Amino acid sequence: MTGTIQQPDRRHLRTALTAGAIALGMAGLAYASVPLYRVFCQVTGFGGTTMKVDAASAPGADQLKALHGRTIKVRFDGNVRGGLPWQFAPAQGPVDVKIGEQNMAFYRASSSASGPTTGSATFNVTPAAAGQYFAKIQCFCFNEQTLAPGQTVDMPVVFYVDPAILDDPDAKDIDEITLSYSFYPVEQPTKAPGIYATGSSEIAAKTR
């Protein structure tokens, strides 16, 4: 009688252990794939991910004039994941931006670590339908960022909302967009340690 009770228990235990191992494996794969996922999303707009463009793709003066100064509110959000010893948050509150016009916003990162630490940011916007129309020309999220012990930096992002959003039945009525970043630790940096795409003068030079 005892044997017939224990056998199902062993099967249940094996099933639970197998399910747990699969879940841990999927979590590890997702964590390891952050850079690949970021590259995929930034060129497709998948899941509300913002689009990466160059300055030449920005709307011209005539197109901007035709929009009659139409605006949309942009909110900013930031957080850290994976035990990265940083504080990271937007450096300004919500802003009303003209659709099609280039804008610059800043996020502030501070390290509480005793040594240099490197992070890589993932990003998206909500609502998801706005992702393919939120275009970033320059951004700290395009590269790994390394902070020295106790260092604080302001990291900029140059962006615009593509006027094509007004022609999309699923997105034309959106009046507010939230831009969100999550920084994850990078154990083995692929670039020389440094702060990339930071500072108004550097951004201005790269977007001319």
Side-chain angles (χ1 to χ4, degrees), residues 33-80:
S33 302
V34 165
L36 294 177
Y37 180 79
R38 183 177 65 243
V39 171
F40 168 73
C41 290
Q42 73 185 20
V43 298
T44 63
F46 176 78
T49 301
T50 59
M51 302 293 287
K52 180 179 179 180
V53 299
D54 56 44
S57 300
D62 291 342
Q63 188 176 5
L64 291 178
K65 186 176 180 180
L67 295 174
H68 303 292
R70 294 188 62 172
T71 63
I72 193 166
K73 184 181 292 294
V74 178
R75 296 183 180 275
F76 305 94
D77 176 68
N79 58 76
V80 294

Side-chain angles (χ1 to χ4, degrees), residues 142-168:
F142 294 163
N143 298 289
E144 298 168 355
Q145 306 291 341
T146 299
L147 296 184
Q151 185 178 13
T152 296
V153 296
D154 285 341
M155 299 179 176
V157 52
V158 177
F159 67 92
Y160 66 88
V161 179
D162 194 323
I165 193 173
L166 300 175
D167 299 322
D168 186 337

Side-chain angles (χ1 to χ4, degrees), residues 131-145:
Q132 61 183 310
Y133 304 109
F134 197 98
K136 290 186 298 188
I137 296 172
Q138 186 55 260
C139 181
F140 59 87
C141 59
F142 294 163
N143 298 289
E144 298 168 355
Q145 306 291 341

Side-chain angles (χ1 to χ4, degrees), residues 2-16:
T2 302
T4 59
I5 295 175
Q6 290 179 342
Q7 191 65 27
D9 287 345
R10 292 195 188 98
R11 288 200 298 270
H12 293 159
L13 179 60
R14 284 198 299 269
T15 300

